[in-house]
Amino acid sequence: METVKFSQMKHGDREDYELLRDRDVEYAGKVGDRLLESLSQLEEGFSGFKVTRLDHSLQTATRAWWDGADADWVVAALLHDVGDLHAPYNHDEYAALVLRPFLREQCVWTVEVHADFQKVYYAEKLGEDPNVRDRYRGNPYFNDCVEFCARWDQASFDPTYDYLPLEFFRPLVRQVFARRANDPAVQQPGVRMPLIDAKAAAARKHH
Ligand SMILES: [Fe+2]
Ligand SMILES: [Fe+2]
């Protein structure tokens, strides 16, 4: 494989840096596949739940899919916990950082704060504040995150739920990560799409 001529960055010339720029674009194009690879590693390790973290991720995405949610929502649902692998104490921020260049702002924000919103389901049982989500009141996406947690995230720890396999979601993930990074037409600041689309849901059920 062709490489640069330099061993220290300060010695590189234009040709070297053009070569690297092209390779970077090629490498970035496979980020969707690498994320799915990471997700499949969530199969390992004991979490204490009745399902693995991979099962949980697939269940969350499957619920989004059957609700008729759009590609941004389904991919957000699938990858919302991918940060567990390397950032167990701020997995929400980690996932948001990864998703930010390629997803609608609404979905990225939801992923970024979902852990605080999930506390309403359990924090009180540990003597902690279940209402930390209140600090986000007034945010235009507040109710979207409430719904994300209620319908998809907190419900997806069910060993009896029949969910779609990782490979089902691969084309959708590839499509999303093939978008132009940081494109305002993708990030659509301020735009809110519903989590549930009855028409899309019905069409999916008939296939
Ligand atoms: Fe989470
Ligand atoms: Fe989750």
Side-chain angles (χ1 to χ4, degrees):
M1 187 192 253
E2 197 187 352
T3 66
V4 296
K5 300 180 284 297
F6 66 78
S7 312
Q8 293 189 33
M9 285 190 75
K10 64 185 181 184
H11 298 144
D13 63 15
R14 183 194 177 107
E15 188 188 49
D16 289 330
Y17 284 108
E18 282 180 352
L19 172 83
L20 292 176
R21 186 189 55 201
D22 296 345
R23 287 287 156 75
D24 276 353
V25 170
E26 214 180 290
Y27 187 72
K30 296 185 187 123
V31 71
D33 286 307
R34 285 195 296 274
L35 285 167
L36 290 180
E37 184 64 32
S38 296
L39 202 62
S40 65
Q41 288 176 42
L42 290 175
E43 185 70 275
E44 295 163 21
F46 174 69
S47 67
F49 288 107
K50 288 180 174 176
V51 302
T52 67
R53 287 188 169 88
L54 173 62
D55 296 329
H56 167 66
S57 301
L58 293 169
Q59 289 188 13
T60 308
T62 299
R63 288 175 191 283
W65 177 258
W66 292 128
D67 269 348
D70 71 5
D72 291 64
W73 275 127
V74 175
V75 170
L78 183 67
L79 296 175
H80 76 283
D81 279 339
V82 76
D84 271 340
L85 208 58
H86 296 300
Y89 297 102
N90 57 346
H91 77 288
D92 43 6
E93 293 173 295
Y94 181 107
L97 213 62
V98 168
L99 296 173
R100 183 162 289 121
F102 302 103
L103 284 193
R104 193 166 54 249
E105 181 186 82
Q106 174 196 24
C107 304
V108 174
W109 189 82
T110 295
V111 169
E112 188 171 18
V113 299
H114 81 271
D116 280 342
F117 279 65
Q118 284 283 93
K119 290 202 168 148
V120 83
Y121 298 109
Y122 71 89
E124 200 171 11
K125 282 132 195 162
L126 295 173
E128 294 166 20
D129 179 8
N131 297 310
V132 282
R133 56 165 66 175
D134 285 349
R135 74 173 72 135
Y136 305 105
R137 281 201 192 276
N139 186 289
Y141 308 129
F142 185 92
N143 289 330
D144 302 325
C145 194
V146 169
E147 202 176 6
F148 177 93
C149 291
R151 281 189 77 80
W152 301 342
D153 196 1
Q154 71 82 30
S156 296
F157 297 93
D158 180 355
T160 67
Y161 183 65
D162 190 16
Y163 55 88
L164 296 162
L166 186 69
E167 287 314 311
F168 174 86
F169 297 105
R170 190 179 296 276
L172 212 58
V173 169
R174 281 189 175 154
Q175 173 205 315
V176 160
F177 285 93
R179 293 168 173 174
R180 198 160 68 90
N182 301 310
D183 186 349
V186 165
Q187 296 177 318
Q188 302 182 72
V191 170
R192 287 181 65 206
M193 296 299 287
L195 284 81
I196 305 168
D197 180 332
K199 226 170 130 184
R204 284 171 190 175
K205 290 214 168 90
H206 287 125
H207 273 284

